[in-house]
Amino acid sequence: MRASRFSRSCLLVGLIGVGSGCQFDRPRDIAPADAATAGFVVEPIPGAWVRVGESVDVAVRILREPGFEEPIVLNLVGAPTGVTAASAIIPAGAVGGQLRIDVALAAGSPGETVDLTIVADAGHGTRDASARLRLKGGVGALDQTFGVLGIAATSSGTYGGYLRLGNRHLVATENRVYAFDETGVVDAAFATGGVLTVAPDGLDASMPRRAFLVPSTAGRFKLVVAGDIDRGSGVSLGGAVLQFSDTGVPDPAFPERGFALPGSFTVNVVVAGADGALYVAGDHDTGVEVEGAVARLLPSGFRDTAFGPQGYLRWAGAIVTAVSAADPRVVIAVAGATTTHLYGVDVHGAPDAGFGANGDVAVDDLIGLPGCGLLAGHLSPAPANGLWVGGLTCLGASSRGALVRLTGAGAADSTFAGDGVWLGVSDELGSVHGVARLPDGTLIVIGTPRANASQTTLYHLRADGTHLIDVDPSGARDIGVASGIPTTPMVDIDLPYIYIAGPLAGRAAVARAWY
């Protein structure tokens, strides 16, 4: 018999939750002898993920011999402790059915596998089929099989960024990139023993510096090292852009590029655009006041001098806190003393007339808190060309977290949380650092509680902003990674994992949680 073919997603992800399934390609050749006694054969059963303490419907498909139309009874036999299933029937003439398998807490720990045998009984003959369940934990619970108790951390350094590159997890500090494999162990095949050390020519090691990871092309990545660089030309550069292969080898076709920024410029944000350009944002001291600025670096690493006046966009008396570069629109969050504006521009820095009032959205007014000061630390694309805005508002003793969803035109999206603004559960939300969409359309929100700014908390929302309590009866789950650096959680669409990166007790770390 020629074995059935099924997709990688079916093999690895299988049936996530009750009622989902995978589509099979029907075998073309069946040896009659295979079905001689039973009148049918059972197709291979793909693996399935199931949450400990829940149930999963496993699809069982059969191939009948001509003329055999009898019903078939499915039974689970020899199952380990904690795994049970009531009998199920494939109706007469049908080519498949489902066996609901209940997995109790006693079945095992998340990350383990359970091998099962399903017997298909036609009354006058039986067929056995093997099935494998992979156990997963509760939404937001750390996967204890990853790294150390769910966390892979660097040996030292200040967190600078995270990037998933193939099967590697890259975490950057001031001037190093650490690589971890899929199990959270240091990947010795990357650079030198799993660590890439970078020292751009002319970098003043005594000055503050920070490294930012961004994706490049063909499995490569770029590293933006921001700091004071003096190459003897009389011009102090704000940083350097370097490109590496997926194994941490410098790309000889991409010589180190330096980019010039205004004096005393502190880089806070580096975001990659869809066209390969980089948007570098931060602030600098003019000697009179603080000024926020954004520069655009071309894919080659050189600064785009045609982006805005004199090659920059600048805002006096304000700082740039976040950037979203879902080209062709770039949205920049600029926080002043008492209010925050979102500016939408094109790739040349010109205002986007289709966003707010000629490219300007006053967020505080939009959410009904004029003068309250929403410090937006997170911007990312939302469905239908919309925008997520996360941060904290009403700065001071009464500050609280907020997640705002905007339409493509820059208006509050009333399909989310009733008025486009989600303020947490029972007024305990202190800040929002990131949001990501799960394959089922629900949302994962990463934030901090008001009571403890060094704690990282995960929330689970429906697409309309209503709250789910599957993460914890309180509605929030502490995931054990200290926050402070705005970061977007990354969702694995093939496996039920969420990756959350940030600082952890003087180190940089990435955690893996279940969904």
Side-chain angles (χ1 to χ4, degrees), residues 62-379:
I62 63 169
L63 296 171
R64 295 176 179 269
E65 271 218 323
F68 176 73
E69 301 293 332
E70 299 300 316
I72 298 170
V73 179
L74 303 176
N75 285 295
L76 185 65
V77 298
T81 301
V83 180
T84 58
S87 297
I89 295 178
I90 298 177
V95 295
Q98 290 188 329
L99 183 68
R100 175 165 294 187
I101 300 177
D102 300 314
V103 180
L105 296 178
S109 300
E112 294 181 350
T113 59
V114 177
D115 291 321
L116 304 172
T117 299
I118 296 173
V119 175
D121 188 348
H124 61 278
T126 62
R127 290 293 183 190
D128 294 352
S130 298
R132 170 167 288 184
L133 300 182
R134 297 188 64 182
L135 308 184
K136 61 180 181 177
V139 176
L142 292 184
D143 176 8
Q144 304 289 313
T145 67
F146 180 78
V148 179
L149 300 179
I151 299 174
T154 65
S155 58
S156 61
T158 301
Y159 174 75
Y162 165 75
L163 181 65
R164 175 81 179 274
L165 195 64
N167 292 326
R168 286 192 173 96
H169 303 271
L170 305 183
V171 180
T173 60
E174 298 94 335
N175 66 331
R176 288 185 174 88
V177 178
Y178 294 78
F180 301 94
D181 64 18
E182 282 290 75
T183 65
V185 174
V186 172
D187 187 347
F190 177 84
T192 303
V195 182
L196 170 65
T197 301
V198 180
D201 183 30
L203 176 68
D204 185 347
S206 67
M207 298 295 291
R209 60 192 187 276
R210 184 175 168 196
F212 298 84
L213 281 166
V214 287
S216 187
T217 57
R220 296 171 294 185
F221 69 95
K222 287 178 180 175
L223 189 68
V224 178
V225 180
D228 188 12
I229 296 179
D230 183 0
R231 292 184 174 156
S233 61
V235 177
S236 179
L237 302 179
V241 185
L242 305 96
Q243 183 162 280
F244 300 89
S245 71
D246 60 349
T247 58
V249 176
D251 184 353
F254 189 90
E256 181 183 312
R257 309 294 192 190
F259 58 90
L261 294 171
S264 303
F265 190 94
T266 300
V267 176
N268 299 323
V269 182
V270 177
V271 176
D275 64 351
L278 303 180
Y279 294 89
V280 180
D283 55 80
H284 72 106
D285 189 347
T286 65
V288 178
E289 61 183 348
V290 174
E291 180 181 75
V294 175
R296 183 175 189 265
L297 306 183
L298 298 170
S300 63
F302 292 113
R303 184 166 60 86
D304 183 354
T305 57
F307 183 74
Q310 300 177 333
Y312 305 97
L313 295 178
R314 303 186 183 194
W315 294 269
I319 61 173
V320 175
T321 59
V323 177
S324 174
D327 295 334
R329 174 185 290 164
V330 180
V331 179
I332 304 160
V334 180
T338 59
T339 188
T340 292
H341 287 256
L342 301 179
Y343 294 100
V345 300
D346 63 18
V347 294
H348 305 294
D352 184 341
F355 184 74
N358 194 32
D360 182 1
V361 172
V363 183
D364 305 336
D365 295 342
L366 189 69
I367 63 177
L369 297 170
C372 207
L374 174 68
L375 186 61
H378 171 81
L379 295 178

